[in-house]
Amino acid sequence: MRVSVFGLGYVGAVTSGCFSSFGHSVVGVDPAEAKVSLINQGKSPVIEKGLGETISDAVANGRLRATREARDAVLSTDLSLICVGTPSRRNGDLDTSALKLVCAEIGAALSEKPSRHSVIVRSTVLPGTIRNVIIPELEKASGKKAGLDFGVGSNPEFLREGTALEDFFSPPKTVIGAEDDRTASELEGLYSAIKAPLVRTSIEVAEMIKYSDNVWHAVKVAFANEIGVICKGLSIDSHEVMEVFCKDTKLNLSSYYLKPGFSFGGSCLPKDVRALVHKARSLDLDLPLLASVLPSNERHTNRGLEMITQLGKRRVSILGMSFKAGTDDLRESPILEIVERLIGKGYDVRIFDRNISLSKLVGANKDYLLRMIPHVSSLLVESLDDALSHAEIVVVGNGDSEFRTIGDRVRSDQFVVDLVRIRDHSRLKENYNGISW
Ligand SMILES: NC(=O)c1ccc[n+]([C@@H]2O[C@H](COP(=O)([O-])OP(=O)(O)OC[C@H]3O[C@@H](n4cnc5c(N)ncnc54)[C@H](O)[C@@H]3O)[C@@H](O)[C@H]2O)c1
C-alpha cells in the first residue's frame, strides 16, 4: 500500500519504519527539516532500539522517504496516518492545534486529488475529536465530504517507548475504528502481516479504548506503588506480595470486576478497603488512590439514587436486593442503601428477591436488614409479577436470570433503571436508563 505518515516523532518514525519493512511504500511528513533530512539519510530521528536499521533498510530499498510537503505526500499515497503530538494544555485539556494544522494541510491536498484517500488518526485523541475537530477541518479545507469523498478512521497506537518495534510487530491488539467498510478494510490490509487480535469498532469506541488503556495502566502503577508503601510501613516485602497477587489470573489479572455496573458491596470489599485505608492512616501514610475507593463507590450509589428520584414518580419496585444474584448476604448491599434512602424520602417501595425471605434469614444478616429497614416484611413481594404490577419505576438491582425477561414484561408507561445491564435492554429504549451505559 502507499501510505503517508504525518509527524515523525516517536510514533510516526516507528510507524514509518515498520510499515515500510512490510513492503508498504511510505512517505513521512514533518515540518522539522532535521527529522526529514535524517530519515532521507537512512537515520532514525528518535532513539529507539532497532529503528535505525529498519529505517536505513527501508530508505536504501526505496520504500521510505520523507518530505516537509503535505501536498506531495497526500498526492503520492492512498492513505494518511496522522501521528502528530497531542500534548496537554495548562488546564489539562488536549492541545489539538497540531492536529488542526495537519488537517488543513491534508484537506487542501485532498481538494486537488481526484481519487479517494483515507485519513486515519493514530495520535491519541479524546472521544469526539475525530467527529468534532478532524472531520470538520478536513471537510472545510477540502470542500469534500467525509465518508463519501474520503475515508476517516481511528487506529490508536499501543507502543511503549524503548520496546516500540517489538510492540509494533506484536501488539496486544489492533483497533480499527471506522464507519465505512472501505476505510476499515484498507486498514486491515495495512496490518495483514501482523498477527494480533483485530478489533473493528466505531470511531468513538476506538478513541476511548486508548484512554481506558492508559488510565488503567496508570491506575495499576499507582495501586502497586501504594500497596508497596503500606507493605514497607508494615515491614512486609511488597515484591513478594505482588508476585503472589499476579499469580491470580482468575480474579486479579483478568476481566473479572471490569464491567461497568453498580457499586460494590457485600461483607468483604467495603470492610477490607476501610480497614487497609485505616491502617495506612494509622501509620501516617498518605495513599490517595486507596483512600478514594470508598468515596468513589458512594458517589456511584448516589448516582443510582438520583436516577430514580429524578424521574418524578413515587412507586418503585426493586428487583434484587442482595449485592449480587444467588446470595442472601445483605451486608453493605448498595441496593439496600438505596431502598433505605427511598423509604426515608417517602417513596412507596416494593422489593422482589427470591433469595431473600425474612423467615429464612438468620443471624447477623437478618439483624442488619432489620436495622436498615425495620418494616421490610411489608415491602417484600412474592413474585416478579407482583413487583412489576406495583411499579412506576422498576430498578434492576442484580443480575438474577429472571430479570432478563423484563424487556418483554414492563409496560410502556413504566421506567426501568438498570444498575446491572440486563441482557435484553435494547428492547427497552424509550423509558430505559442504565447507570453507566
Ligand atoms: N510516544 C509514545 O510512546 C506514544 C504511544 C502511543 C501513542 N502516542 C500518541 O501519539 C501521538 C504522537 O506522539 P509522539 O510521542 O510521537 O509525539 P512527538 O512529539 O514525538 O512527535 C510529533 C511530531 O509531529 C510533528 N508535527 C507537528 N505538526 C506537524 C504537521 N503539521 N505536519 C506533520 N508533522 C507535524 C512534530 O514536528 C513532531 O515531530 C500523540 O498523540 C501521543 O499521545 C504516543
Side-chain angles (χ1 to χ4, degrees):
M1 291 178 74
R2 300 186 309 161
V3 183
S4 42
V5 175
F6 283 77
L8 295 171
Y10 281 92
V11 170
V14 171
T15 301
S16 302
C18 293
F19 275 138
S20 43
S21 77
F22 290 154
H24 299 305
S25 164
V26 179
V27 181
V29 189
D30 203 289
E33 177 57 41
K35 293 191 180 187
V36 168
S37 143
L38 278 170
I39 294 239
N40 286 333
Q41 292 165 45
K43 294 179 184 159
S44 172
V46 298
I47 296 192
E48 188 58 56
K49 197 172 78 193
L51 188 59
E53 299 84 74
T54 307
I55 288 180
S56 139
D57 281 357
V59 171
N61 293 329
R63 286 194 307 266
L64 174 63
R65 68 180 173 91
T67 173
R68 293 175 63 200
E69 300 299 323
R71 179 176 178 275
D72 160 25
V74 171
L75 296 183
S76 57
T77 59
D78 306 307
L79 183 142
S80 297
L81 294 164
I82 299 182
C83 304
V84 300
T86 50
S88 288
R89 287 187 201 281
R90 281 174 64 145
N91 67 0
D93 193 10
L94 201 68
D95 184 346
T96 54
S97 49
L99 277 175
K100 286 182 182 156
L101 222 75
V102 92
C103 288
E105 291 169 359
I106 294 174
L110 286 181
S111 70
E112 294 180 43
K113 192 173 177 185
S115 57
R116 194 187 140 98
H117 194 89
S118 292
V119 183
I120 309 299
V121 179
R122 231 162 138 60
S123 300
T124 301
V125 294
L126 283 166
T129 306
I130 295 185
R131 201 165 303 280
N132 302 323
V133 179
I134 307 265
I135 291 179
E137 291 289 334
L138 286 168
E139 288 183 338
K140 189 170 79 183
S142 65
K144 293 185 171 180
K145 192 91 192 104
L148 204 66
D149 306 316
F150 62 92
V152 176
S154 165
N155 171 223
E157 171 56 65
F158 301 108
L159 61 79
R160 295 162 298 170
E161 288 172 19
T163 53
L165 266 71
E166 262 169 71
D167 289 345
F168 187 93
F169 292 125
S170 181
K173 63 206 175 244
T174 300
V175 177
I176 291 176
E179 269 164 353
D180 64 281
D181 290 339
R182 188 165 165 188
T183 307
S185 50
E186 272 172 355
L187 268 171
E188 283 175 27
L190 199 59
Y191 283 100
S192 57
I194 289 182
K195 302 270 167 287
L198 194 136
V199 181
R200 161 94 198 263
T201 183
S202 68
I203 287 176
E204 282 76 11
V205 168
E207 290 173 318
M208 187 63 200
I209 281 171
K210 177 68 190 172
Y211 281 91
S212 317
D213 283 12
N214 272 0
V215 172
W216 175 232
H217 302 161
V219 167
K220 281 173 79 169
V221 173
F223 171 78
N225 286 343
E226 291 199 0
I227 291 290
V229 168
I230 194 158
C231 283
K232 184 174 164 75
L234 296 168
S235 303
I236 296 168
D237 182 358
S238 60
H239 277 235
E240 195 182 338
V241 169
M242 290 310 285
E243 259 167 45
V244 179
F245 174 96
C246 291
K247 285 197 170 118
D248 178 348
T249 52
K250 204 167 166 188
L251 298 182
N252 292 352
L253 304 188
S254 72
S255 57
Y256 206 78
Y257 295 123
L258 285 174
K259 285 206 174 92
F262 196 39
S263 319
F264 60 80
S267 57
C268 295
L269 300 192
K271 169 177 80 72
D272 297 346
V273 173
R274 200 176 292 127
L276 195 68
V277 168
H278 178 268
K279 186 76 197 166
R281 274 201 208 106
S282 73
L283 296 168
D284 283 336
L285 300 172
D286 184 19
L287 304 180
L289 179 69
L290 297 186
S292 71
V293 173
L294 287 176
S296 164
N297 203 46
E298 280 158 28
R299 302 272 164 81
H300 205 54
T301 307
N302 294 344
R303 213 169 272 137
L305 182 69
E306 278 160 21
M307 284 169 67
I308 299 165
T309 54
Q310 72 192 11
L311 289 171
K313 305 284 179 193
R314 308 299 293 176
R315 292 203 313 274
V316 180
S317 283
I318 308 280
L319 310 185
M321 188 161 52
S322 51
F323 72 103
K324 64 179 175 189
T327 172
D328 65 356
D329 192 349
L330 293 171
R331 283 170 293 171
E332 304 219 31
S333 159
I335 283 284
L336 205 57
E337 172 80 26
I338 285 197
V339 171
E340 189 213 8
R341 284 156 71 180
L342 285 174
I343 292 169
K345 289 171 186 286
Y347 280 74
D348 185 3
V349 178
R350 294 290 181 278
I351 302 162
F352 172 61
D353 188 325
R354 61 176 150 166
N355 292 306
I356 310 290
S357 144
L358 215 49
S359 58
K360 291 190 196 134
L361 285 180
V362 287
N365 206 11
K366 186 168 188 170
D367 293 346
Y368 184 79
L369 177 59
L370 290 173
R371 201 170 56 246
M372 289 285 283
I373 312 168
H375 307 296
V376 69
S377 58
S378 61
L379 309 181
L380 290 168
V381 295
E382 291 294 318
S383 69
L384 183 54
D385 281 335
D386 290 346
L388 293 179
S389 65
H390 165 81
E392 291 171 299
I393 304 171
V394 178
V395 179
V396 188
N398 71 31
D400 192 302
S401 56
E402 193 178 356
F403 306 153
R404 291 180 191 150
T405 62
I406 69 157
D408 297 323
R409 297 169 75 171
V410 290
R411 299 188 309 269
S412 58
D413 62 329
Q414 289 176 307
F415 290 91
V416 175
V417 170
D418 186 0
L419 306 178
V420 295
R421 189 144 169 155
I422 48 171
R423 204 186 272 157
D424 60 353
H425 74 279
S426 58
R427 291 168 178 219
L428 292 159
K429 276 197 181 96
E430 284 297 301
N431 293 344
Y432 171 88
N433 197 2
I435 187 159
S436 40
W437 50 89

